[in-house]
Amino acid sequence: MTKKPEALKLVTLTVTGTTHAGMGERACVDTCTYLEKDEGILVGSRAKGMVLCVSETHPLPYMPTRPFRVNAGAIMSYTLADPTHTRYLSELSAGDSVLAVGADGRTRHAIVGRVKIETRPLLSIDAVSDEGSRST
């Protein structure tokens, strides 16, 4: 049995800019478990400084909720497989484990059911922590 991962210390980021990055491939990560409100996966273009992308648990007027799905980001982005190992979104496949993270820092393992890759308009989001650390 896999040991339950410890909570992560998350920090609040302030978005300092967004830029339309053009069209590209985006990965949707569908898990084999329901994710709670404000729970998702950490995603980023660096191994440190990731952003929490929450699952589709917040209702939208044009589609039903999908509490197993995270619209994670560009395929070249990283996510955490566990607290110390990253994986590219493009490398994830059915049966892999990713680290589900809540906004409060609690973590658990989630099994990937599939990764759906589709062409979408992409945004580049720049953010900074109160301590001055940057995330892109």
Side-chain angles (χ1 to χ4, degrees):
M1 175 167 245
T2 305
K3 181 180 155 187
K4 182 176 173 19
E6 294 182 22
L8 297 176
K9 182 180 181 295
L10 302 179
V11 298
T12 300
L13 299 174
T14 300
V15 173
T16 57
T18 59
T19 306
H20 290 277
M23 298 297 284
E25 276 58 57
R26 176 192 71 181
C28 295
V29 179
D30 290 348
T31 63
C32 293
T33 188
Y34 285 117
L35 298 169
E36 297 175 18
K37 282 198 184 221
D38 299 326
E39 184 180 34
I41 62 175
L42 293 171
V43 175
S45 59
R46 298 185 180 110
K48 293 190 176 190
M50 297 179 173
V51 174
L52 179 61
C53 294
V54 298
S55 63
E56 291 185 9
T57 51
H58 297 273
L60 296 169
Y62 52 86
M63 61 182 245
T65 60
R66 294 181 185 103
F68 55 85
R69 173 170 292 164
V70 177
N71 293 308
I75 57 173
M76 46 54 79
S77 300
Y78 292 108
T79 192
L80 291 176
D82 59 54
T84 59
H85 295 92
T86 59
R87 297 281 307 271
Y88 286 111
L89 293 176
S90 62
E91 294 178 343
L92 294 176
S93 60
D96 288 341
S97 179
V98 294
L99 194 66
V101 180
D104 60 0
R106 67 188 152 63
T107 63
R108 62 186 174 121
H109 296 286
I111 301 301
V112 174
R114 72 173 178 167
V115 177
K116 188 169 97 167
I117 296 176
E118 48 197 16
T119 303
R120 291 288 187 263
L122 299 175
L123 286 177
S124 176
I125 301 170
D126 296 313
V128 64
S129 71
D130 289 343
E131 294 81 32
S133 297
R134 298 200 160 285
S135 180
T136 302

